[in-house]
Amino acid sequence: MGSSPPRGPTATPTAPPAEADPSLVQSSFVPQRPSLVKGVVVEPLPNGVYRVELENGAKILAHVADRAGTHFTRLLAGDKVGVELASRDRSRGRIREIWR
């Protein structure tokens, strides 16, 4: 058996960047985290879905995000939540924060 070339990416030492270019920090290529909208759970529905009324009066369907649901607790009507709205369908969202 002969020696085979190394597989996978090879790490090459690089010098740390001196200073970040301000034009790259707010670049359109960097994904921006959506903002949270405050709301109140109106009605718990089956399969971990909730009807949430937002501050502006709109009612949407929302499910619990992974981070907020790691220690899953069933939400009740009246619980205050922070919702991240879906980019394609504004009638659906993801519950990111829970305030009791």
Side-chain angles (χ1 to χ4, degrees), residues 41 52 67 72 76 84 94-95:
V41 174
V52 178
R67 292 180 191 149
F72 185 74
L76 302 173
E84 173 186 320
R94 179 181 302 130
I95 298 174

Side-chain angles (χ1 to χ4, degrees), residues 43-51 61-64 74 92 95:
E43 176 185 10
L45 300 172
N47 296 330
V49 178
Y50 301 92
R51 188 170 313 279
L61 293 177
H63 65 277
V64 178
R74 182 93 172 149
R92 300 202 43 106
I95 298 174

Side-chain angles (χ1 to χ4, degrees), residues 46-98:
N47 296 330
V49 178
Y50 301 92
R51 188 170 313 279
V52 178
E53 184 173 357
L54 303 178
E55 289 178 323
N56 61 5
K59 291 186 179 179
I60 65 166
L61 293 177
H63 65 277
V64 178
D66 291 338
R67 292 180 191 149
T70 52
H71 306 289
F72 185 74
T73 304
R74 182 93 172 149
L75 296 175
L76 302 173
D79 286 345
K80 297 176 184 177
V81 293
V83 179
E84 173 186 320
L85 296 177
S87 59
R88 295 179 185 240
D89 184 4
R90 293 295 180 172
S91 66
R92 300 202 43 106
R94 179 181 302 130
I95 298 174
R96 304 285 285 189
E97 294 184 12
I98 302 169

